[in-house]
Amino acid sequence: MNGDDEGRKVGRRRRVLRAAGLTLAGVLVLGAAAGGWVYWHLNDNIRSVDINQALGDDRPAKATPSPSPSASESAVPTEALNILVLGSDSRSGEENQALGGGSSTGARSDTAMVVHLDAGRGSATVVSIPRDTLVTRPSCPTSSGGSTAVAYNAMFNSAYSVGGPVCAVKTVESITNVRMDHYIEIDFAGFAKLVDALGGVTITTDEDIDDDDSHLKLAAGTHHLDGEKALALARTRHGIGDGSDLGRIGLQQQLVKALLAQISSTDLLRDPAKLYEVADAVTGSLTTDTGLDSLGELTSLGRSLEGLSTDHVTTVTMPVVTAPSDPNRVVADEPEASELWKSLR
């Protein structure tokens, strides 16, 4: 990656984290003002999976805590955190089917990012993993008490399809040797609702987009997108560039910036009705691990990121090369990929 590319990518996620913290803080204010029902409803929206119990102790080691802070710094976290963030259509059904998503018999994860927060929350690194990466998918426990078979040269996103969040986490830990301390899954149908609640997003495309799979057709230029079209943009890959997943990752990063701009221009704390609509969309679209499955826990994470500087957040894509066995797939580019993951331990 050259310096210019890295410079353009630095800081793209910092506003995501801060906006999440501010929105959740606003939810707490709203809950106090409107009574316990609002807080209970929003809190009840969040679904969770007990990743730790399912995977047991056969996992990479947790990050070593930094030396204990002084009394004046007691609120500063002392352990680094790695969070696996997935975008999926796992909450399948009528809404997702209407948006071109999953069916009642399947689920997909089209977006995967490992968010690494340093011990003092002074810096962060966000690594995107292309869904088309061929990996060795480990044996994963199933809800029925059995386990899936080990699969070689399997597409990375197949882990979620065969074993849900537990297998997604186990597969990421297997290929990175980095422990995932938390898991956050963002449902695509809920994402569309969020965009609509915010009044849409404005994006500028440098080239025409015509993708039959995502059902999106846009001429090059500036467009204001509603939730359905924004979601289609997040899924687009065949109508741009070389049709690879790397192109889709670029569009998703652009969409995140547009969404942040819309959040920044919307004064949610001064409009309780819109704040509730946005908060309902956010919490209704989340599945987390049991360590983040409440408004209080999510808000605590958001507040810990308030001091994160834009200059200290880096966004990268896992180094990959074309797979020797399939020109339409990629594999980790070694030793660069291993060196990247090592830096996050």
Side-chain angles (χ1 to χ4, degrees):
M1 176 185 300
N2 61 44
D4 290 341
D5 288 340
E6 184 172 354
R8 284 192 293 269
K9 291 182 178 179
V10 167
R12 286 181 175 177
R13 301 297 176 193
R14 178 253 185 181
R15 289 183 181 178
V16 173
L17 302 172
R18 175 167 290 186
L22 292 176
T23 298
L24 289 167
V27 169
L28 294 179
V29 174
L30 178 63
W37 181 87
V38 171
Y39 186 96
W40 174 87
H41 171 71
L42 296 175
N43 200 69
D44 193 56
N45 272 346
I46 305 169
R47 303 184 187 183
S48 64
V49 178
D50 195 340
I51 302 290
N52 289 335
Q53 181 179 9
L55 294 184
D57 297 327
D58 186 19
R59 305 176 64 187
K62 291 185 178 181
T64 303
S66 301
S68 299
S70 64
S72 61
E73 300 173 328
S74 59
V76 177
T78 60
E79 294 182 356
L81 281 182
N82 291 298
I83 305 172
L84 176 60
V85 179
L86 293 186
S88 78
D89 57 9
S90 66
R91 293 186 184 183
S92 54
E94 292 182 2
E95 286 183 305
N96 267 312
Q97 290 180 46
L99 291 168
S103 68
S104 58
T105 59
R108 298 174 294 184
S109 59
D110 286 341
T111 304
M113 298 180 294
V114 173
V115 179
H116 174 82
L117 306 172
D118 80 342
R121 305 299 183 265
S123 66
T125 303
V126 181
V127 185
S128 295
I129 304 176
R131 56 163 282 179
D132 291 342
T133 306
L134 296 181
V135 301
T136 297
R137 191 182 69 224
S139 174
C140 301
T142 64
S143 57
S144 63
S147 60
T148 65
V150 176
Y152 301 94
N153 290 319
M155 277 183 60
F156 167 74
N157 74 331
S158 69
Y160 186 96
S161 299
V162 302
V166 171
C167 197
V169 170
K170 188 171 181 66
T171 299
V172 169
E173 291 184 343
S174 175
I175 65 176
T176 67
N177 197 28
V178 176
R179 178 153 182 146
M180 297 296 108
D181 300 289
H182 291 297
Y183 170 84
I184 297 177
E185 178 184 323
I186 304 173
D187 171 59
F188 281 164
F191 170 78
K193 287 184 179 179
L194 172 61
V195 172
D196 284 335
L198 290 168
V201 294
T202 300
I203 61 98
T204 299
T205 61
D206 296 328
E207 59 181 302
D208 295 343
I209 296 176
D210 187 355
D211 190 337
D212 291 336
D213 288 347
S214 68
H215 309 294
L216 182 66
K217 293 185 179 182
L218 288 178
T222 300
H223 304 271
H224 192 74
L225 306 181
D226 62 11
E228 183 175 354
K229 288 186 177 179
L231 179 58
L233 181 69
R235 286 174 163 162
T236 292
R237 63 181 292 182
H238 298 295
I240 59 166
D242 61 1
S244 72
D245 194 43
L246 300 180
R248 172 161 46 195
I249 288 174
L251 284 179
Q252 290 170 347
Q253 292 174 343
Q254 183 182 1
L255 183 58
V256 166
K257 293 181 66 178
L259 187 60
L260 291 172
Q262 186 64 24
I263 291 174
S264 299
S265 65
T266 306
D267 195 348
L268 297 176
L269 296 182
R270 291 184 181 273
D271 188 344
K274 182 162 287 293
L275 173 59
Y276 173 78
E277 185 181 2
V278 171
D280 194 36
V282 170
T283 56
S285 69
L286 289 183
T287 299
T288 72
D289 68 284
T290 50
L292 286 179
D293 61 354
S294 73
L295 285 178
E297 289 161 337
L298 287 170
T299 302
S300 178
L301 174 62
R303 285 175 174 167
S304 76
L305 302 172
E306 289 180 355
L308 195 60
S309 168
T310 302
D311 295 335
H312 293 92
V313 177
T314 304
T315 303
V316 298
T317 299
M318 182 182 77
V320 294
V321 295
T322 302
S325 60
D326 188 340
N328 296 316
R329 302 288 181 259
V330 296
V331 293
D333 187 9
E334 298 295 358
E336 287 80 2
S338 292
E339 291 171 354
L340 172 61
W341 297 124
K342 184 179 179 179
S343 71
L344 304 187
R345 293 178 197 139

